[in-house]
Amino acid sequence: MEEIEKKIYIMYRILVTNLINCISMDVTKILHNLNSQQEIAVTSDHPHLLVLAGAGSGKTRILVHRIAWKIQVLSIPSHAVLAVTFTNKAAREMKERIDQLLKTPSQGMWVGTFHGLAHRLLKSHWRDAGLAEDFQILDSEDQLRLIKRLMRTLDLDEQRWPPKQFQWWINSQKDEGLRSKNIQENGDLYQSMMLRLYREYESNCELLKVVDFAELLLRSLELWRSNEAVLKHYQNRFKHVLVDEFQDTNAVQYAWLRVLAGSECCVTAVGDDDQSIYGWRGAKVDHILRFEKDFKDTRIVRLEQNYRSTSNILRAANAVIERNSERLGKTLWTEADEGEAVALYAAFNEHDEARYIVECVQQWVGDGNRRDDAAILYRSNAQSRVLESAMLRAEIPYRIYGGQRFYERMEIKNALSYLRLISNKDDDLAFERVVNLPTRGIGERTQSMVRQIARQRNCSLWSASSIAIGNHELSSRASNALAKFLRLISAMTSEVEELTLIEKAETIIKRSGLLDFYKGEKGEKGMARVENLEELVSACGSFEPEDANLSPLTQFLDQVALDSGDRQADVDEDAVQLMTLHSAKGLEYPLVFIAGMEENLFPHAMSIEEPGRLQEERRLAYVGITRAMTKLYLTFAESRSIHGRESFNSVSRFVRDIPSDVIDEVRLGNTIVRSTTYASSSLGSDPELGTGFSLGQQVFHKAFGEGVILNFEGSGPRARVHIKFEEVGTKILILESAGLSGV
């Protein structure tokens, strides 16, 4: 008996030893190459964990390794884990990395986007959610098509009420968790019209058995709130919820997480409050700031060691972001070398800025580097035109990351079609593009009849339209709408005949209704379209015709066609990357340029008066700076053409925040010197641009009295100073002769 017990004991010890060895191996594998703070984040046993993962600190790695730790070391079943991220690509990569780390498929685990997981939930509980079993998802294009159909039913003019505005408003309400029945009318015409269509839209979606993307989350949240049994089932199942990019959650996503978590679930949130840059599409940085209050017994772990950038680049980023008050706080550092200083170039104008950037890229490539290791970032989409033009002239392959080239953008093509049509009435492609844009009641049926006449008579669509109207071949309503369009084009042609090219463009964009149409499209996208149209006007202003026998408009349109014919680089071609700062989040490049570092451009003029939006602009600057790995260039223009007019803005406050010993100012002749006076004076608080005065300073003028400095043009004694005086309004004065004194 003793012998049997002894054998059992020996077997037990062997089993325990093997188990310990296995666990030890798992621990070693999971914690391999993690720094001390990353280890804490992976192994923390606190019920709730908030990981503030700075730029380049390896946040995705933390999520993957923490999931592996829970499953392999803590023996938590994989079906008890739910991991949420924001893109399908990120979800796929997370799942693959988890499987690789575990060396086996993670059966039962839910890993996906908010919308993907909500869809999975609704497919399982369609009846409880009040949906049809075969419900379909409306993509953005289908949603807009349905809205347009409802607008026609309600006899709403698309020119006055842009369909995309309704789409944006409806999605915004859903992102805030609001049904039409939850919204009280306040007597405002705009809100009343939006609400009216929202009600119709909800009814039609129910009838058609469809849901849009915003509906997926809202409907699944309502399911949990209204059906305790379903909620309890998932709360009992998912005991561990992990969320990536937590700073980007909107109201309904945050509520979705809180309801699922209940009182027993362990929540790990990984994000960076300093990289919350999507407030314009509903993301609320407040969620990460209040996480500790909403989830009791939370541990905060800061990942501050950066594995991407040099020390100088990080010093610049830290100096910019620390000016924000609404942040939990962290300071990036690196074991890497100090690296080169941040180069700062003051260009004469946007063309000089683009020329300088191109020269730097050429030198970079000449030194044996790849073009696709270089990125040019900008705040406004419209800035790309001049940069693209400079790239084309220098024959440098480039690619617009996540967007279209300037002349390929929808609003630019529409405006160019109007210009082509006043230049040549027989341009059928231009005619078809704008005949009903903005909407003017010329539907597809009318256009089809005009095309048929054009084929029969072998004439242009313009001529066919006149024939159709003259022969009464259309209904009275269609005929009147088409005749109105022909009169508009004819009138615009006469009006702009004697105008300069820039005046032609400005007049056509306004008179055609395009400008008001895109102004009606609220949000960042609508603003970008308006800025692009303004940039087209600027392009006309800077265009220099070469042939005295051809009209400037004809030559401009020919040049645009040639530029458009020069394609972007192929997907696998070595090419410089151009993108907005918003598009750059999550990316990294050895060489980075941030162009347009000027007040009113970056930070954007619309954000300066609003503290919340200004703080988001500062976070955007932080994101841009931390994209750079080895070398960072900041450029600004002393004058810039905006909407065809010269604008003079001072260097961005974000540049002025950077310590002087981190910046090298690029002087004329492209020699770089350590900045001593420029960075500490013109980039510091006082004096501004070597004038002895600063933005916002109160001054006194003998003739005009007291005023406040709004802006500077140029630098030194000959600088032009914009001053708003209390009694006489805004004046522009030459500094050396103004006789100003401080108040």
Side-chain angles (χ1 to χ4, degrees):
M1 189 67 180
E2 289 182 5
E3 189 68 25
I4 294 174
E5 288 179 351
K6 187 177 180 180
K7 287 182 179 179
I8 292 173
Y9 177 73
I10 291 172
M11 291 174 64
Y12 168 75
R13 289 298 302 167
I14 293 172
L15 183 63
V16 170
T17 301
N18 288 338
L19 183 60
I20 290 171
N21 288 338
C22 286
I23 292 174
S24 178
M25 289 171 61
D26 289 340
V27 170
T28 302
K29 182 174 64 174
I30 292 170
L31 301 183
H32 182 62
N33 282 342
L34 297 182
N35 64 40
S36 58
Q37 287 301 101
Q38 290 174 331
E39 276 195 24
I40 292 171
V42 167
T43 63
S44 174
D45 60 356
H46 268 67
H48 305 302
L49 185 69
L50 176 59
V51 182
L52 296 177
S57 64
K59 67 175 179 60
T60 305
R61 191 180 190 201
I62 296 306
L63 265 177
V64 170
H65 283 245
R66 184 160 173 78
I67 290 171
W69 177 269
K70 287 176 177 286
I71 293 173
Q72 271 196 337
V73 178
L74 303 183
S75 298
I76 291 166
S78 59
H79 67 258
V81 176
L82 180 142
V84 191
T85 187
F86 273 81
T87 67
N88 290 317
K89 180 183 177 183
R92 284 193 299 270
E93 289 178 355
M94 186 185 296
K95 187 76 162 57
E96 289 170 2
R97 289 172 66 174
I98 292 169
D99 291 345
Q100 289 172 2
L101 199 55
L102 295 176
K103 299 296 184 186
T104 180
S106 47
Q107 300 294 332
M109 186 189 307
W110 279 27
V111 179
T113 64
F114 278 102
H115 294 100
L117 295 176
H119 179 245
R120 184 172 179 175
L121 175 70
L122 294 175
K123 276 297 183 183
S124 298
H125 303 277
W126 54 272
R127 184 178 287 107
D128 293 318
L131 293 169
E133 184 176 9
D134 58 345
F135 76 86
Q136 300 294 315
I137 299 175
L138 280 178
D139 62 21
S140 182
E141 187 176 333
D142 288 335
Q143 183 189 32
L144 185 61
R145 191 175 292 113
L146 174 57
I147 287 171
K148 288 181 177 180
R149 197 176 85 193
L150 294 175
M151 289 181 65
R152 289 194 292 272
T153 302
L154 298 174
D155 200 24
L156 295 177
D157 181 6
E158 287 191 23
Q159 189 166 356
R160 184 180 182 190
W161 303 100
K164 287 194 174 182
Q165 179 63 16
F166 281 111
Q167 184 180 34
W168 173 84
W169 194 86
I170 289 170
N171 291 338
S172 297
Q173 304 313 303
K174 291 189 177 187
D175 285 344
E176 291 295 322
L178 298 174
R179 295 282 183 201
S180 62
K181 64 183 180 183
N182 304 131
I183 303 171
Q184 296 294 321
E185 293 203 44
N186 57 15
D188 178 71
L189 175 62
Y190 171 82
Q191 191 235 34
S192 296
M193 193 59 70
M194 294 290 148
L195 191 53
R196 180 186 176 193
L197 192 121
Y198 188 11
R199 294 190 188 105
E200 289 292 324
Y201 177 78
E202 284 181 316
S203 299
N204 272 264
C205 284
E206 292 289 334
L207 185 66
L208 297 171
K209 300 188 290 187
V210 295
V211 297
D212 54 48
F213 285 112
E215 180 71 19
L216 288 170
L217 273 165
L218 180 55
R219 184 71 66 119
S220 61
L221 174 62
E222 291 171 341
L223 168 64
W224 277 338
R225 284 175 168 169
S226 63
N227 194 311
E228 187 175 353
V230 173
L231 175 61
K232 285 296 180 185
H233 168 76
Y234 287 99
Q235 286 180 334
N236 289 334
R237 173 177 176 172
F238 296 122
K239 295 298 185 182
H240 300 268
V241 173
L242 301 95
V243 190
D244 193 13
E245 301 287 6
F246 189 73
Q247 77 281 348
D248 292 335
T249 53
N250 62 31
V252 74
Q253 288 165 343
Y254 189 60
W256 192 89
L257 288 167
R258 289 196 66 190
V259 170
L260 173 61
S263 59
E264 298 181 10
C265 177
C266 298
V267 178
T268 297
V270 181
D272 186 1
D273 53 329
D274 291 333
Q275 295 190 72
S276 180
I277 59 173
Y278 298 124
W280 49 276
R281 66 184 189 200
K284 297 182 184 295
V285 69
D286 181 57
H287 295 157
I288 198 169
L289 299 177
R290 78 185 199 206
F291 183 88
E292 198 175 8
K293 295 179 181 178
D294 292 340
F295 295 89
K296 304 302 181 185
D297 199 8
T298 290
R299 178 172 188 173
I300 297 180
V301 178
R302 288 173 170 81
L303 303 184
E304 298 173 302
Q305 184 174 358
N306 177 282
Y307 293 93
R308 175 189 299 157
S309 307
T310 63
S311 179
N312 274 331
I313 291 171
L314 296 183
R315 284 187 62 200
N318 288 330
V320 169
I321 199 61
E322 69 184 12
R323 295 296 187 97
N324 268 1
S325 57
E326 295 180 8
R327 61 190 295 258
L328 294 170
K330 62 184 175 306
T331 303
L332 296 179
W333 62 275
T334 181
E335 292 180 345
D337 295 336
E338 183 182 77
E340 295 185 52
V342 175
L344 177 68
Y345 181 68
F348 301 120
N349 55 32
E350 68 269 30
H351 300 285
D352 180 42
E353 177 184 54
R355 175 202 57 78
Y356 172 72
I357 291 173
V358 163
E359 288 180 357
C360 290
V361 169
Q362 289 173 324
Q363 182 176 339
W364 166 264
V365 175
D367 290 340
N369 299 295
R370 288 182 59 82
R371 284 185 288 266
D372 55 17
D373 281 338
I376 305 171
L377 316 181
Y378 35 84
R379 173 63 181 87
S380 169
N381 239 318
Q383 288 173 255
S384 81
R385 182 191 66 84
V386 176
L387 294 166
E388 287 184 61
S389 179
M391 290 284 169
L392 289 170
R393 286 197 302 272
E395 298 183 343
I396 297 176
Y398 72 91
R399 186 179 301 110
I400 303 292
Y401 181 90
Q404 296 172 305
R405 295 197 308 171
F406 183 79
Y407 289 114
E408 292 173 353
R409 292 167 191 162
M410 177 181 67
E411 60 277 11
I412 299 302
K413 283 189 170 184
N414 293 339
L416 289 172
S417 291
Y418 272 107
L419 289 170
R420 285 164 51 192
L421 199 53
I422 66 165
S423 177
N424 175 18
K425 301 294 189 300
D426 295 330
D427 188 329
D428 283 355
L429 293 178
F431 183 97
E432 283 194 293
R433 187 173 186 94
V434 300
V435 66
N436 200 37
L437 185 79
T439 306
R440 46 178 61 93
I442 305 172
E444 182 54 38
R445 185 178 177 183
T446 301
Q447 294 180 51
S448 179
M449 292 181 68
V450 171
R451 291 189 202 103
Q452 186 177 353
I453 294 171
R455 285 194 298 271
Q456 292 171 347
R457 301 293 186 97
N458 194 26
C459 63
S460 68
L461 295 177
W462 177 272
S463 299
S465 297
S466 298
I467 293 170
I469 295 168
N471 293 344
H472 306 289
E473 297 185 35
L474 302 172
S475 68
S476 177
R477 182 174 179 178
S479 181
N480 289 336
L482 190 57
K484 188 176 179 181
F485 172 71
L486 298 184
R487 288 196 299 271
L488 172 66
I489 299 300
S490 297
M492 288 195 299
T493 304
S494 299
E495 288 172 24
V496 303
E497 188 174 358
E498 301 300 324
L499 299 181
T500 63
L501 178 58
I502 187 173
E503 291 170 336
K504 277 184 169 71
E506 194 167 18
T507 301
I508 295 301
I509 288 171
K510 287 180 180 178
R511 284 277 278 117
S512 66
L514 282 180
L515 190 61
D516 288 339
F517 179 72
Y518 290 119
K519 280 183 176 179
E521 188 178 335
K522 301 291 184 183
E524 189 86 4
K525 186 175 288 186
M527 183 174 69
R529 294 196 194 283
V530 171
E531 289 176 346
N532 284 334
L533 289 177
E534 292 172 346
E535 182 60 25
L536 178 62
V537 174
S538 295
C540 291
S542 60
F543 179 73
E544 297 180 2
E546 297 179 352
D547 191 338
N549 296 317
L550 293 174
S551 75
L553 176 57
T554 299
Q555 293 180 70
F556 175 74
L557 292 173
D558 288 344
Q559 185 59 53
V560 167
L562 291 171
D563 285 347
S564 300
D566 290 323
R567 59 175 175 79
Q568 283 195 67
D570 293 332
V571 175
D572 56 351
E573 185 177 356
D574 184 25
V576 177
Q577 311 293 305
L578 274 67
M579 68 192 76
T580 64
L581 282 152
H582 282 100
S583 297
K585 186 171 178 289
L587 304 175
E588 58 183 40
Y589 298 92
L591 174 64
V592 169
F593 300 86
I594 305 181
M597 296 294 292
E598 302 142 36
E599 289 289 299
N600 297 316
L601 183 57
F602 191 35
H604 197 280
M606 294 181 66
S607 70
I608 290 177
E609 300 300 323
E610 299 181 32
R613 293 183 66 176
L614 183 57
Q615 294 210 39
E616 184 161 312
E617 289 284 293
R618 189 176 293 280
R619 294 194 290 270
L620 190 58
Y622 170 83
V623 166
I625 291 170
T626 54
R627 299 312 94 193
M629 301 167 68
T630 306
K631 182 64 180 178
L632 173 65
Y633 287 85
L634 305 177
T635 64
F636 69 97
E638 293 180 347
S639 70
R640 187 177 297 274
S641 179
I642 298 177
H643 206 164
R645 297 179 179 84
E646 290 300 304
S647 173
F648 301 89
N649 295 312
S650 61
V651 64
S652 170
R653 66 192 70 194
F654 304 146
V655 176
R656 299 198 298 268
D657 291 337
I658 299 173
S660 59
D661 63 337
V662 174
I663 288 184
D664 277 353
E665 181 196 351
V666 180
R667 305 271 185 199
L668 290 177
N670 291 352
T671 57
I672 301 179
V673 297
R674 174 66 68 179
S675 179
T676 53
T677 57
Y678 198 88
S680 60
S681 299
S682 63
L683 303 187
S685 56
D686 283 320
E688 186 83 24
L689 297 174
T691 63
F693 296 93
S694 59
L695 286 174
Q697 181 177 351
Q698 286 195 312
V699 293
F700 178 79
H701 186 274
K702 290 181 180 179
F704 304 134
E706 291 188 7
V708 176
I709 295 179
L710 300 179
N711 203 358
F712 292 91
E713 299 175 16
S715 59
R718 294 294 299 169
R720 301 172 73 197
V721 190
H722 296 231
I723 305 173
K724 184 177 181 181
F725 292 101
E726 294 179 1
E727 297 182 1
V728 296
T730 300
K731 298 287 184 180
I732 301 177
L733 308 174
I734 302 297
L735 186 63
E736 68 178 357
S737 59
L740 296 175
S741 59
V743 176

